[in-house]
């Protein structure tokens, strides 16, 4: 069985898709190898699913869980391996970048490229007054990243719950009790492939979801001219982050 409080996070750039960021269809579902002539999005989706299946199989073998069950898709598009199976996972992608979380408890993950977002308009439309105040409390030059941090926290929370974004990002308000971004990674992939790295984490976030305290592990990365934010919502305080470069 999995050790209690297991949380592993993987990130990979599928370099051969980066010139034309694909947009695979949703919801994600188990896929078959694309036939010749299929769109790039289908090929990307297949590559992501093969990568995910590899990590799922490795985890099941490492923890003695037996054969990996087929994916199931929940009513709001969240994939899982069955209600009673002890390994949980969640996926997110932005362009050609993909992130995967494997955990011994339900988990939600969101990955976004923050460049070019109309963050002010999105903040006014989707965030509560308290959340807008959180962004406004940062220096002007830091507000776009404060926005994307909050955005990915909310998306990962909804994916953790499994309720879907169709209910609106204002359904739950996040209250930040403090954030620790002292170890932000601003280098290249090569600087991070020497071993597992601890993600900077928001020390404590309370969401109005069954009065439960959840931890949001959040990581910023600059690749070329693009800035990515990866955030994971979990009941666990610690996480192993394992970026991959091919």
């Amino acid at each position: 069985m999995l050790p209690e409080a297991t949380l592993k996070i993987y990130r990979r750039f599928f370099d051969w898709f980066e010139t034309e960021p694909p947009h695979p269809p949703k919801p994600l579902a188990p896929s078959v190898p694309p036939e010749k002539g299929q769109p790039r999005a289908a090929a990307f989706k297949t590559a992501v699913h093969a990568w995910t299946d590899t990590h799922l199989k490795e985890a099941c073998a490492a923890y003695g869980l037996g054969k990996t069950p087929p994916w199931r898709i929940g009513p709001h598009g969240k994939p899982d391996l069955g209600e009673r199976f002890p390994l949980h996972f969640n996926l997110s992608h932005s362009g050609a970048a993909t992130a995967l979380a494997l955990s011994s408890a339900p988990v939600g993950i969101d990955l976004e490229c923050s460049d070019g977002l109309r963050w002010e308009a999105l903040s006014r439309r989707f965030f509560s007054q308290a959340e807008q105040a959180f962004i406004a409390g940062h220096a002007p030059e830091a507000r776009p990243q404060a926005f994307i941090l909050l955005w990915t926290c909310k998306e990962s929370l909804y994916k953790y719950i499994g309720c879907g974004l169709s209910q609106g990002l204002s359904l739950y308000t996040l209250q930040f009790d403090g954030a620790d971004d002292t170890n932000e990674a601003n280098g290249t992939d090569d600087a991070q492939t020497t071993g597992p790295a601890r993600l900077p984490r928001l020390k404590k976030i309370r969401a109005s979801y069954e009065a439960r305290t959840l931890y949001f592990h959040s990581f910023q990365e600059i690749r070329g001219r693009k800035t990515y934010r990866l955030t994971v919502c979990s009941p666990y305080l610690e996480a192993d982050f394992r970026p991959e470069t091919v």
Side-chain angles (χ1 to χ4, degrees):
M1 300 298 290
L2 278 79
E4 186 177 358
T6 295
L7 176 58
K8 296 183 182 296
I9 303 164
Y10 303 85
R11 188 273 299 127
R12 178 173 174 180
F13 289 95
F14 288 83
D15 294 334
W16 54 94
F17 292 103
E18 282 195 303
T19 56
E20 298 178 38
H23 299 281
K26 294 183 179 181
L28 287 170
S31 59
V32 297
E35 297 178 0
K36 185 176 181 180
Q38 275 192 288
R40 288 171 59 88
F44 175 74
K45 178 181 175 182
T46 299
V48 169
H49 284 207
W51 174 72
T52 303
D53 283 338
T54 295
H55 283 301
L56 291 174
K57 290 176 181 176
E58 288 177 350
C60 287
Y63 297 121
L65 300 178
K67 185 178 180 180
T68 309
W71 299 16
R72 306 185 321 167
I73 303 299
H76 299 288
K78 182 178 181 179
D80 64 48
L81 298 173
E83 293 180 0
R84 297 186 179 182
F85 199 74
L87 179 64
H88 300 259
F89 77 103
N90 202 225
L91 278 166
S92 184
H93 88 278
S94 181
T98 300
L100 167 69
L102 301 181
S103 179
S104 53
V107 65
I109 189 169
D110 188 47
L111 174 67
E112 301 285 348
C113 179
S114 60
D115 298 343
L117 285 177
R118 299 173 58 194
W119 66 270
E120 292 173 298
L122 290 170
S123 176
R124 289 192 296 269
R125 180 176 178 182
F126 294 109
F127 288 171
S128 68
Q129 291 296 321
E131 290 165 341
Q132 292 182 56
F134 166 79
I135 297 172
H138 290 72
E141 65 274 12
R143 288 172 188 169
Q145 286 306 316
F147 165 82
I148 200 64
L149 172 63
L150 184 55
W151 181 279
T152 56
C153 282
K154 298 199 80 169
E155 283 222 37
S156 65
L157 169 65
Y158 279 44
K159 293 174 76 173
Y160 166 84
I161 297 169
C163 67
L165 293 177
S166 59
Q167 300 186 40
L169 283 172
S170 60
L171 183 62
Y172 298 107
T173 293
L174 297 182
Q175 178 180 347
F176 291 75
D177 294 325
D180 177 13
D181 280 331
T182 56
N183 295 317
E184 289 281 293
N186 294 312
T188 64
D189 269 343
D190 292 340
Q192 303 192 40
T193 55
T194 55
R198 180 70 50 79
L199 275 75
R201 68 172 185 270
L202 299 176
K203 293 180 178 178
K204 195 174 185 181
I205 295 177
R206 292 189 182 276
S208 55
Y209 175 65
E210 298 181 353
R212 183 178 303 180
T213 297
L214 299 171
Y215 294 94
F216 291 77
H217 302 267
S218 194
F219 177 77
Q220 178 179 290
E221 184 173 22
I222 296 175
R223 181 178 172 90
R225 297 181 179 180
K226 295 182 179 180
T227 303
Y228 293 87
R229 169 67 67 172
L230 186 161
T231 300
V232 176
C233 177
S234 168
Y236 299 144
L237 181 64
E238 304 296 339
D240 287 331
F241 178 48
R242 301 172 180 269
E244 299 177 6
T245 303
V246 176

